[in-house]
Amino acid sequence: MSQQTPVAEDPGQGTVPPAPRRDPRLLSVITGPSGWWSAIKRNLRSGELGAAPVVIGLILIAIVFQSLNDRFLSPQNLSNLTVQIAAIGLMTTGVIMVLLLGEIDLSIGSVAGLSAGILGVTVMRHGFPEWAGILTALGVGLLVGLVHGVIFARIGVPAFVVTLAGLLGWQGLHLFLMAPDGTINTRSDGLIAALTQTYFVAWIGWAIVALTLLLYAGTVLTAERRRRSAGLPYKPLSEVLLRAGLLALALVVGVWILNQHKGVSLAFLIFVGAVVVLDLVLRKTRYGRMVYAVGGNAEAARRAGINVVLIRISVFGIASTLAAMGGIMLVSRNIAASTTTGGGSELMMAIAAAVIGGTSLFGGRGNAYSALLGGLVLGAITSGLLLLPNVDTSVRFMITAAVLLVAVILDAVSRRGRKTHARGGA
Amino acid sequence: MSTPVLELSGISKTFGAVRALDEVDFHVDEGEVVALLGDNGAGKSTLVKVIAGAHTADVGGGIAWDGDDVTIATPADAQRLGIATIYQDLALCDNLDIVGNLFLGSERLHFPGTLDEVEMERRSWELLDSLSVSIPDLRVPVASLSGGQRQIIAIARSLLGRPRVVMLDEPTAALGVAQTAQVLDLIERLRDQGLGVVLISHNMADVRAVADRASVLRLGRNAGDFSVADTSYEEIVAAITGASDNPVSRRSTRAGQEPLATEDQR
């Protein structure tokens, strides 16, 4: 193997001579497009797959379903897809937080159902204004998560068991609340319905693209300038522009397609917004660093003075709040809360989406964008199968299972690659 | 004589039916290297953990910092006082990069509360350069480093908090000859900067090379406090094993026919 990752010399032996800032042993000195190409090749070979498998998977899915039914890539279908994935996507975002800790939350489906039930009961039976019902549902979600977190982190019951109890218990409470009706229809013209029925006119979509690109370019360029003036290795301007260009391409194409139909949907914007906010929190704040640290090595985190218990409780709180948001989206799409809301395949789909998106089940590795990528993959499969005649849920489950297995196998193989290439195996 | 930076008196620690520490006294002065010695199970690790805040001592003992009574209930308390601890298992987060590990728990922030990665990376380079450590890329996960590099990262991390007392648990146990020498140099540099260094080691050569004083524990009790320069190797070993007649001194005097006297000391 001629190209190795930047591993230092023989472990533990020999003195390390003083060296210049740009270490000669470091191969990943990126100079121009050929440098990027070799860096990409080296990363792939050493198991740093990044988003590549998911993106390739999405392209394959698009090709297959488009050839089976040419309505798959139509703006209308893609626009519907963005609304369909929002609810489970929000739940996935919460699951990712918990997976980063190296734990699991089995209760998110039930919590979504409970929040849907509370929304229906408070608004339609007790006459709460819709915004108050939404806040109540979110508040209950947060409370449920904090209860899980306290029982797990303070008392020390394994998260698997706590949330398994939650899976049963909150579904029971949900059924109890909905008891006489079974289904509570909500108004089709209020705030709740607007969550998934609002589409923005074209110029707002473009404004969002422009704003995003401006913020992205601004922060990246400022950061690279600071790195440069601090004498640190920095990305050359050409690379920054290439990345910004790729982002711009994705955003422009996406918004252009959505504008062909009704425009960017509020539901999708809420989902993507949650993903972006979570990503920034995880990568840029002290809180996010603590979450990764606890997921990587809880004992080390504790010794570094991190309040591990508080971090764990807060993560479970956030996860359940996001699950409650997912439940509200489900109500909004069905314009009804029913006893079956959140009790179906939502939990499995949310966990599968997180894993397909590239978040490790073993903690400490993964990012918020897994929710978007994994959600798109599963949403695309669901949507594509719905367009085919004579295909029902059974096929969808089997195909989803196959995709999940492929994702996990890819993860296992790439983990082996990372071990042999000393990138950290966890 | 000046007040010690850190002084423990009458510290006990019980785990269930086991008394790991029994009325132990211990102190560290500024600018001295104290070797904390003892056989396996003597209570060294427990004492270190009490000082570091990982264990709380039983009621009754006292901890003084610059002569003032303090309580150390959590690792954060110890850090705030200026006590840094490097455990044998190094306590690094394998999934975080070097900069992330160096600043874990004491991240630098800048305007709206975000991590100041540039400042942290710059200071990481400065710090590692000042320790003459060369690592090609500070943005690789710590999992990819060698054992020696991981030890150095762990020691370097403790220095970022500008501690006044640094405790090293078996810092050279896993290192090769040259890197051991580097770590010993580093310990001397810390002493010259006026830090108090607590060195836990089984390696008597290391202890004799850098320690000014040796504090010996045996079965959870104080078993002597020696100036390393004025004490012979055999005297220290005798304190560790609890008898002047021990396998080590027997070997050196070639007397070894008598029965072991170390077994009945409980």
Side-chain angles (χ1 to χ4, degrees):
Chain A
M1 205 158 295
S2 58
Q3 284 189 319
Q4 276 284 352
T5 39
V7 189
E9 77 294 323
D10 196 26
Q13 303 296 324
T15 39
V16 186
R21 171 78 13 118
R22 187 65 97 171
D23 196 289
R25 288 168 298 178
L26 194 58
L27 292 174
S28 64
V29 180
I30 293 170
T31 45
S34 61
W36 300 332
W37 181 238
S38 64
I40 290 169
K41 272 199 304 194
R42 193 167 48 237
N43 278 347
L44 288 181
R45 197 176 305 160
S46 64
E48 291 285 297
L49 300 179
V54 194
V55 173
I56 292 169
L58 271 175
I59 293 171
L60 283 179
I61 289 168
I63 292 172
V64 169
F65 283 119
Q66 179 68 11
S67 62
L68 292 173
N69 185 330
D70 60 3
R71 272 174 51 221
F72 181 72
L73 288 181
S74 68
Q76 184 188 358
N77 193 48
L78 293 178
S79 173
N80 289 343
L81 175 65
T82 62
V83 179
Q84 282 155 10
I85 64 172
I88 292 184
L90 284 167
M91 293 158 70
T92 308
T93 318
V95 169
I96 284 168
M97 292 288 286
V98 178
L99 289 181
L100 283 180
L101 280 188
E103 303 297 338
I104 188 96
D105 189 341
L106 299 177
S107 71
I108 45 164
S110 298
V111 173
L114 177 65
S115 101
I118 284 174
L119 182 61
V121 168
T122 50
V123 172
M124 301 315 289
R125 239 186 250 164
H126 298 287
F128 279 39
E130 296 203 335
W131 61 266
I134 290 174
L135 285 185
T136 312
L138 289 178
V140 170
L142 177 63
L143 198 69
V144 164
L146 295 180
V147 168
H148 290 164
V150 168
I151 297 175
F152 159 61
R154 257 251 180 274
I155 305 178
V157 181
F160 181 89
V161 182
V162 177
T163 57
L164 185 62
L167 167 72
L168 288 170
W170 305 123
Q171 193 176 12
L173 183 59
H174 174 209
L175 295 179
F176 176 79
L177 286 176
M178 306 278 296
D181 300 309
T183 302
I184 298 175
N185 292 316
T186 51
R187 285 213 312 280
S188 58
D189 57 351
L191 174 63
I192 296 172
L195 285 175
T196 51
Q197 286 171 11
T198 306
Y199 293 84
F200 295 111
V201 290
W203 72 265
I204 295 188
W206 294 122
I208 293 169
V209 170
L211 200 66
T212 311
L213 285 176
L214 263 175
L215 283 175
Y216 174 81
T219 48
V220 171
L221 286 176
T222 321
E224 294 304 323
R225 189 173 311 126
R226 281 192 68 212
R227 293 182 66 86
R228 189 174 184 168
S229 59
L232 298 174
Y234 59 93
K235 293 194 189 96
L237 186 65
S238 55
E239 194 190 339
V240 174
L241 289 179
L242 181 79
R243 283 164 183 268
L246 287 176
L247 178 70
L249 188 69
L251 288 176
V252 167
V253 170
V255 169
W256 180 75
I257 291 175
L258 292 178
N259 279 346
Q260 303 287 303
H261 185 55
K262 289 183 188 166
V264 179
S265 64
L266 176 63
F268 191 55
L269 205 62
I270 292 175
F271 170 39
V272 174
V275 167
V276 171
V277 167
L278 186 69
D279 175 63
L280 293 177
V281 167
L282 284 174
R283 285 191 306 119
K284 302 285 185 192
T285 68
R286 175 180 270 175
Y287 176 77
R289 180 60 52 83
M290 289 175 178
V291 170
Y292 276 107
V294 172
N297 186 343
E299 178 60 16
R302 193 180 66 83
R303 287 189 199 159
I306 293 173
N307 190 336
V308 174
V309 170
L310 200 66
I311 296 288
R312 284 178 167 158
I313 293 175
S314 68
V315 164
F316 274 83
I318 292 172
S320 288
T321 310
L322 284 164
M325 279 175 79
I328 292 165
M329 286 291 177
L330 288 174
V331 174
S332 171
R333 258 191 67 216
N334 300 327
I335 322 183
S338 86
T339 47
T340 55
T341 308
S345 59
E346 284 87 353
L347 164 69
M348 296 306 155
M349 289 298 163
I351 295 177
V355 175
I356 289 170
T359 295
S360 168
L361 287 167
F362 303 102
R365 218 164 45 74
N367 60 58
Y369 289 106
S370 319
L372 188 57
L373 291 171
L376 278 174
V377 168
L378 291 187
I381 292 172
T382 309
S383 156
L385 291 175
L386 282 175
L387 291 176
L388 300 181
N390 308 323
V391 173
D392 62 2
T393 315
S394 60
V395 179
R396 179 165 71 92
F397 280 3
M398 288 188 276
I399 291 182
T400 306
V403 172
L404 177 64
L405 267 183
V406 170
V408 177
I409 289 169
L410 263 179
D411 182 51
V413 171
S414 73
R415 196 161 63 230
R416 209 159 52 206
R418 275 196 303 279
K419 270 197 185 124
T420 50
H421 290 78
R423 288 284 185 116
Chain B
M1 200 177 136
S2 65
T3 325
V5 190
L6 176 70
E7 183 163 26
L8 288 80
S9 45
I11 292 290
S12 302
K13 176 70 191 176
T14 318
F15 295 104
V18 179
R19 181 146 252 209
L21 293 178
D22 190 3
E23 304 275 318
V24 169
D25 301 329
F26 182 75
H27 69 97
V28 192
D29 288 325
E30 276 186 350
E32 75 164 349
V33 179
V34 186
L36 183 57
L37 301 175
D39 223 333
N40 291 334
K44 306 184 299 277
S45 301
T46 312
L47 184 63
V48 166
K49 284 182 175 168
V50 166
I51 298 173
H55 291 329
T56 37
D58 296 347
V59 181
I63 302 176
W65 183 260
D66 279 337
D68 302 325
D69 278 341
V70 290
T71 43
I72 301 177
T74 65
D77 288 349
Q79 271 187 345
R80 236 184 335 266
L81 285 175
I83 300 170
T85 315
I86 298 102
Y87 292 98
Q88 209 171 347
D89 65 5
L90 304 184
L92 298 171
C93 286
D94 279 350
N95 60 329
L96 298 183
D97 61 22
I98 295 172
V99 178
N101 268 288
L102 284 175
F103 283 90
L104 188 61
S106 57
E107 291 86 356
R108 295 289 180 278
L109 303 177
H110 67 148
F111 175 68
T114 53
L115 296 174
D116 191 346
E117 296 283 1
V118 175
E119 173 66 8
M120 288 196 280
E121 188 166 338
R122 193 183 60 74
R123 289 203 45 195
S124 300
W125 281 116
E126 264 178 24
L127 180 73
L128 293 178
D129 285 351
S130 77
L131 302 177
S132 303
V133 177
S134 143
I135 286 173
D137 184 354
L138 295 190
R139 290 299 182 184
V140 295
V142 161
S144 66
L145 300 182
S146 70
Q149 288 173 321
R150 290 163 64 88
Q151 179 73 50
I152 284 164
I153 297 304
I155 294 178
R157 175 168 88 185
S158 74
L159 302 179
L160 279 170
R162 307 207 169 279
R164 292 178 60 203
V165 171
V166 179
M167 296 194 291
L168 302 164
D169 190 358
E170 297 279 2
T172 58
L175 298 190
V177 177
Q179 285 190 339
T180 298
Q182 255 194 337
V183 171
L184 297 182
D185 282 353
L186 182 56
I187 291 172
E188 281 176 344
R189 214 169 305 155
L190 299 181
R191 173 181 57 197
D192 297 344
Q193 289 170 9
L195 296 171
V197 181
V198 179
L199 173 68
I200 297 146
S201 183
H202 274 113
N203 188 332
M204 291 300 287
D206 291 355
V207 171
R208 294 196 70 82
V210 293
D212 304 306
R213 194 156 61 78
S215 192
V216 179
L217 291 181
R218 180 171 149 66
L219 299 175
R221 294 200 178 87
N222 284 108
D225 205 38
F226 307 97
S227 160
V228 170
D230 309 334
T231 315
S232 74
Y233 177 62
E234 285 74 20
E235 280 174 279
I236 295 178
V237 171
I240 293 173
T241 56
S244 55
D245 180 29
N246 61 63
V248 182
S249 58
R250 272 207 305 279
R251 251 186 85 77
S252 57
T253 57
R254 301 268 168 214
Q257 293 297 319
E258 298 137 56
L260 282 176
T262 52
E263 295 293 305
D264 57 358
Q265 296 291 310
R266 292 167 196 273

